């Protein structure tokens, strides 16, 4: 009978955690919905208040396949920038070379209601609906990912709220591919950290159909394959197992790349096959005829250091907040865990690497534990420790969580070894945005990178000398939400 009180206490604790997580899920759902309603209201308000700078959206020439048909365009007030391309692809297909810069997942999703006339308000409404619904689902996935990896419900909730009101929010509420990409990206990351690698590969492959940078998500599985094969070969001395791990990893990586490459092959067939020598485009004759890179270089001037011009200084200033946040999150991780960071995780403690699926373990039972948050005793212990750390800091015992500490005990969630591939992914994306792309696009290009929100959430949670930067981050997000709604909705350049 002595075990009865402990059993009852355990049941009470488990019930408390279930209620807490249910409450947080409810808050995430409400925040995601309210943030989208706010953005849509701001877009409508600013569009009715001002006249658009560029009125070319009203021009709607007939499709090349039906040159005699007339396409009315009563919806120019609802469609701006890349949305014009996406809707035209739904109507007319991929007609022009430059239209292949817009990947097919969003047009295919809009084609689900192809029975609706594409010039009607109902069709455009469906475009807005699908993207805003995808954002809400992305926010839920992001919360579950953050909770599974950080093991701190309060930090996970805070990070998700930051994502719901991120600086690039206007694109997530427009007919753009950002919402679908975020949904598939976060979904793939969540299944990855839960050990469901085949499902993660499927999500990542679909993310590459939404945005080209989706193929970079293959890096997560490559990182895991590298560590597992190394462990099998040098620690377990099992050559066949290492070869098997490499083969399966390569197969999953190929699956992630295959949709994007298939789309490039489709572009090659449309633009190059059957053309006369005078009509054939230069990229068709290249050793690797990659249409996407040619379009980015030829039509948009994308290339290494090509944007480093004095006249582009305002755009660098526009992107400086998101790039600064990315730099701070990466530098802090590297300074706090230098051995882990610079060794790419190979010198991380074995007990730390073996406790999660990111490095070594492929035990699906762990994914089930992570999936049923609140039931896992290890998660509850970690949450309790995190809560005690925050209480100690609030009471003034700042030494318990030194932000400059070399120990992972300072920020056990963000500084854990399992976060390393996410930080490395962010670093590669940030360097690409700064050195290669139109730098102002960095705001939305990096907006689906989890470490940005995890780092900002920890700054806000722990009242050290850095916590005031939390107010700056919120001010930056709110300012860009209003600025983006004003400029983007009226066809002024934003990001």
């Amino acid at each position: 009978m002595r075990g009865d009180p402990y059993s009852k206490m355990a049941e009470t604790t488990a019930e408390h955690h279930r209620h807490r997580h249910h409450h947080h899920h409810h808050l995430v759902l409400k925040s995601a919905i309210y943030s989208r309603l706010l953005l849509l209201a701001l877009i409508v308000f600013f569009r009715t208040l001002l006249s658009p700078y560029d009125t070319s959206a009203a021009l709607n020439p007939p499709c090349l396949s039906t040159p005699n048909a007339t396409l009315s365009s009563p919806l120019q007030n609802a469609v701006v920038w890349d949305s014009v391309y996406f809707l035209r692809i739904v109507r007319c297909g991929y007609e022009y070379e430059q239209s292949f810069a817009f990947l097919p997942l969003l047009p295919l999703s809009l084609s689900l209601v192809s029975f609706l006339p594409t010039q009607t308000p109902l069709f455009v409404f469906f475009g807005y609906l699908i993207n805003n619904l995808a954002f809400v689902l992305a926010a839920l996935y992001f919360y579950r990912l953050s909770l599974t990896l950080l093991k701190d419900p309060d930090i996970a909730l805070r990070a998700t709220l930051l994502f719901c009101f991120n600086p690039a929010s206007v694109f997530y509420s427009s007919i753009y591919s950002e919402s679908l990409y975020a949904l598939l990206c976060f979904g793939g990351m969540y299944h990855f950290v839960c050990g469901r690698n085949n499902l993660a590969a499927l999500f990542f492959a679909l993310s590459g159909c939404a945005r080209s940078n989706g193929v970079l998500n293959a890096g997560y599985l490559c990182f895991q394959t590298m560590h597992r094969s190394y462990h099998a070969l040098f620690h377990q001395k099992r050559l066949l197992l290492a070869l098997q791990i490499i083969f399966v990893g390569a197969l999953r990586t190929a699956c992630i790349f295959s949709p994007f490459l298939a789309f490039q092959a489709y572009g090659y067939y449309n633009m190059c096959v059957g053309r006369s020598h005078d009509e054939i485009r230069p990229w068709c004759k290249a050793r690797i005829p990659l249409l996407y890179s040619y379009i980015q270089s030829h039509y948009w001037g994308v290339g290494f250091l090509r944007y480093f011009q004095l006249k582009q200084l305002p755009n660098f200033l526009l992107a400086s907040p998101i790039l600064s946040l990315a730099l701070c999150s990466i530098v802090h991780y590297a300074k706090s865990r230098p051995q882990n960071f610079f060794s790419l995780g190979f010198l991380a403690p074995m007990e730390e690497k073996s406790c999660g699926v990111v490095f070594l373990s492929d035990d699906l039972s762990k994914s089930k534990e992570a999936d049923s948050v609140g039931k896992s005793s290890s998660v509850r212990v970690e949450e309790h420790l995190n809560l005690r750390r925050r209480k100690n800091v609030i009471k003034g015992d700042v030494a318990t969580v030194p932000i400059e500490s070399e120990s992972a005990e300072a920020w056990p969630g963000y500084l854990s070894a399992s976060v390393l591939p996410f930080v490395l992914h962010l670093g590669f994306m940030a360097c690409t945005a700064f050195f290669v792309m139109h730098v102002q696009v960095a705001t939305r290009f990096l907006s689906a990178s989890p470490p940005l929100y995890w780092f900002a959430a920890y700054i806000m949670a722990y009242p050290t000398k850095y916590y005031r930067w939390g107010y700056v981050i919120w001010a930056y997000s709110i300012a860009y939400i209003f600025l983006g709604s004003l400029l983007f909705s009226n066809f002024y350049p934003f990001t």
Side-chain angles (χ1 to χ4, degrees):
M1 299 295 293
R2 289 182 60 187
D4 289 345
Y6 294 100
S7 177
K8 187 174 182 180
M9 183 182 299
E11 291 177 2
T12 303
T13 304
E15 181 63 30
H16 170 73
H17 280 276
R18 280 193 293 269
H19 176 75
R20 187 184 187 190
H21 292 307
H22 176 74
H23 177 63
H24 281 188
H25 270 95
H26 186 63
L27 279 177
V28 168
L29 183 61
K30 287 203 308 183
S31 299
I33 293 174
Y34 289 160
S35 69
R36 295 312 94 194
L37 294 175
L38 171 64
L39 262 297
L40 291 172
L42 288 174
I43 290 172
V44 172
F45 173 74
F46 286 124
R47 192 58 193 256
T48 56
L49 187 67
L50 300 174
S51 299
Y53 173 75
D54 187 346
T55 58
S56 62
L59 303 176
N60 197 15
C63 301
L64 294 180
S65 58
T66 56
N68 296 323
T70 302
L71 292 180
S72 61
S73 184
L75 303 171
Q76 59 267 29
N77 289 331
V79 180
V80 294
W81 292 108
D82 292 355
S83 304
V84 177
Y85 286 94
F86 283 118
L87 290 180
R88 184 169 180 86
I89 291 169
V90 177
R91 297 171 184 168
C92 308
Y94 286 91
E95 303 173 295
Y96 303 102
E97 191 175 66
Q98 61 268 35
S99 64
F100 282 88
F102 304 94
L103 273 70
L105 186 60
L106 180 56
L108 286 174
S109 301
L110 294 174
S111 297
L112 294 175
V113 289
S114 57
F115 57 88
L116 294 174
T118 55
Q119 294 86 29
T120 62
L122 188 60
F123 182 83
V124 175
F125 170 78
F126 180 79
Y128 278 93
L129 177 64
I130 193 172
N131 278 335
N132 284 276
L133 179 61
F135 177 86
V136 173
L137 296 176
L140 292 172
Y141 257 130
F142 181 73
Y143 173 74
R144 295 179 69 84
L145 167 68
S146 303
L147 183 61
T148 303
L149 205 60
L150 304 180
K151 297 180 176 62
D152 189 325
D154 293 332
I155 297 297
L157 177 63
R158 197 184 296 264
T160 308
L161 293 179
L162 283 167
F163 170 70
C164 288
F165 295 93
N166 73 77
S169 283
V170 66
F171 300 100
Y172 289 90
S173 286
S174 303
I175 304 180
Y176 266 57
S177 56
E178 267 69 19
S179 290
L180 285 174
Y181 171 76
L183 169 60
L184 295 166
C185 183
F186 294 153
M189 291 174 181
Y190 171 69
H191 293 300
F192 169 69
V193 300
C194 288
R196 296 187 282 267
N197 284 344
N198 290 334
L199 192 56
L202 175 62
F203 272 72
F204 288 152
L206 290 174
S207 73
C209 295
R211 293 187 59 81
S212 59
N213 53 292
V215 299
L216 298 178
N217 291 319
Y220 293 107
L221 294 174
C222 292
F223 180 90
Q224 185 187 70
T225 299
M226 177 178 66
H227 278 274
R228 290 184 177 180
S229 59
Y230 177 87
H231 181 75
L233 185 60
F234 293 101
H235 291 272
Q236 297 178 316
K237 309 297 182 183
R238 298 173 63 183
L239 175 60
L240 290 179
L241 177 60
L243 292 176
Q244 179 186 359
I245 291 171
I246 293 172
F247 175 77
V248 173
L251 192 62
R252 287 169 176 158
T253 301
C255 290
I256 294 174
F257 274 87
S258 58
F260 179 78
L261 294 178
F263 182 65
Q264 299 308 300
Y266 171 71
Y268 180 86
Y269 177 80
N270 272 11
M271 296 289 110
C272 301
V273 176
R275 304 286 178 126
S276 66
H277 185 270
D278 294 334
E279 293 179 327
I280 198 166
R281 300 291 293 157
W283 66 271
C284 296
K285 306 173 187 177
R287 180 172 297 180
I288 302 178
L290 191 61
L291 173 57
Y292 186 82
S293 61
Y294 174 81
I295 293 172
Q296 292 293 330
S297 175
H298 182 72
Y299 291 98
W300 280 278
V302 173
F304 183 66
L305 299 183
R306 289 177 67 177
Y307 216 61
F308 278 62
Q309 305 172 32
L310 187 61
K311 66 180 181 180
Q312 301 297 348
L313 181 60
N315 288 323
F316 277 90
L317 294 176
L318 189 65
S320 60
I322 196 74
L323 291 172
S324 299
L325 182 59
L327 180 63
C328 289
S329 62
I330 296 167
V331 168
H332 178 76
Y333 189 95
K335 287 179 64 177
S336 302
R337 302 291 304 273
Q339 195 175 43
N340 181 49
F341 181 82
F342 292 105
S343 70
L344 300 181
F346 283 104
L347 297 182
M350 184 58 65
E351 62 272 13
E352 186 180 10
K353 292 198 290 186
S354 61
C355 69
V357 300
V358 172
F359 283 92
L360 302 177
S361 175
D362 200 17
D363 184 4
L364 290 182
S365 65
K366 291 187 178 181
S367 70
K368 293 178 181 178
E369 290 179 349
D371 216 6
S372 56
V373 288
K375 295 182 181 180
S376 168
S377 59
S378 62
V379 172
R380 290 199 298 269
V381 169
E382 195 70 39
E383 292 175 7
H384 180 64
L385 289 174
N386 289 331
L387 181 61
R388 287 185 60 186
R389 289 186 185 98
R390 283 200 297 274
K391 286 183 176 179
N392 287 336
V393 176
I394 292 171
K395 291 177 181 178
D397 189 7
V398 181
T400 58
V401 281
I403 198 166
E404 298 88 355
S405 172
E406 293 282 336
S407 170
E409 293 300 318
W411 287 354
Y414 180 70
L415 293 181
S416 69
S418 296
V419 175
L420 176 60
F422 298 89
V423 174
L424 295 175
H425 182 268
L426 171 62
F428 184 85
M429 297 267 286
C431 288
T432 302
F434 184 73
F435 291 108
V436 179
M437 298 171 55
H438 291 187
V439 71
Q440 69 270 24
V441 180
T443 303
R444 59 188 174 100
F445 184 66
L446 301 178
S447 62
S449 297
L452 293 175
Y453 307 106
W454 295 337
F455 176 73
Y458 274 110
I459 284 180
M460 298 176 188
Y462 292 103
T464 63
K465 63 180 181 180
Y466 294 100
Y467 83 99
R468 288 185 177 86
W469 283 103
Y471 297 111
V472 176
I473 293 171
W474 271 117
Y476 156 59
S477 296
I478 293 171
Y480 270 53
I481 286 174
F482 279 89
L483 186 65
S485 301
L486 170 65
L487 298 179
F488 174 81
S489 61
N490 286 290
F491 241 124
Y492 286 88
F494 176 52
T495 69

